[in-house]
Amino acid sequence: QVQLVESGGGLVQTGGSLRLSCATSRRIISINDMGWYRQAPGKQRELVAAITSGGHTNYADSVKGRFTISRDNAKNTIYLQMNSLKAEDTAVYYCYADWLRYSNGLSYRRVNDLWGQGTQVTVSS
């Protein structure tokens, strides 16, 4: 079994910065598109930023110019650098992978629509 493990959330003041990381829990063979979503209390989960396996990026309008998504394929890790944080960025942030492949030593396995457990980001005004 494989999981996505997020880290880097926390409490920050308005205008501050945080860097989120998301790594796989075990070594994998390949991983496709990945992204960050967030869900604020009482709101639906929304896409924040996405990055393809080739490195192409896409951002929600609300974070363009402030957030940067990147990936390190050698480490099977993606990052979300968040600058100029606002109170409305407060949410639980989730890492997402379209699909990935790994070996359990006996066979190759493919997992679709994999989500992390979420990490809380709180921006205080």
Side-chain angles (χ1 to χ4, degrees):
Q1 194 170 0
V2 62
Q3 296 176 330
L4 296 176
V5 181
E6 301 112 332
S7 61
L11 174 65
V12 65
Q13 290 187 332
T14 300
S17 298
L18 282 175
R19 188 194 195 205
L20 305 182
S21 300
C22 171
T24 56
S25 60
R26 63 185 294 166
R27 189 171 182 176
I28 62 170
I29 297 170
S30 60
I31 190 165
N32 198 37
D33 301 347
M34 299 185 73
W36 290 96
Y37 286 72
R38 68 186 180 188
Q39 187 166 19
K43 295 187 177 181
Q44 289 188 331
R45 190 172 297 189
E46 63 175 358
L47 174 67
V48 176
I51 186 165
T52 69
S53 57
H56 296 287
T57 59
N58 183 42
Y59 296 92
D61 288 341
S62 60
V63 306
K64 283 181 180 177
R66 300 188 297 122
F67 291 10
T68 302
I69 188 171
S70 60
R71 66 190 289 167
D72 184 335
N73 290 329
K75 296 181 179 179
N76 299 318
T77 300
I78 64 168
Y79 306 95
L80 185 68
Q81 178 65 44
M82 305 185 293
N83 299 327
S84 302
L85 283 162
K86 305 175 181 180
E88 50 264 43
D89 294 319
T90 296
V92 178
Y93 284 70
Y94 298 90
C95 178
Y96 169 78
D98 182 15
W99 59 260
L100 60 84
R101 294 175 66 232
Y102 70 99
S103 172
N104 63 1
L106 298 175
S107 64
Y108 293 110
R109 298 291 182 94
R110 171 168 167 151
V111 179
N112 298 322
D113 297 322
L114 190 62
W115 291 89
Q117 81 285 355
T119 184
Q120 176 71 45
V121 171
T122 302
V123 184
S124 64
S125 56

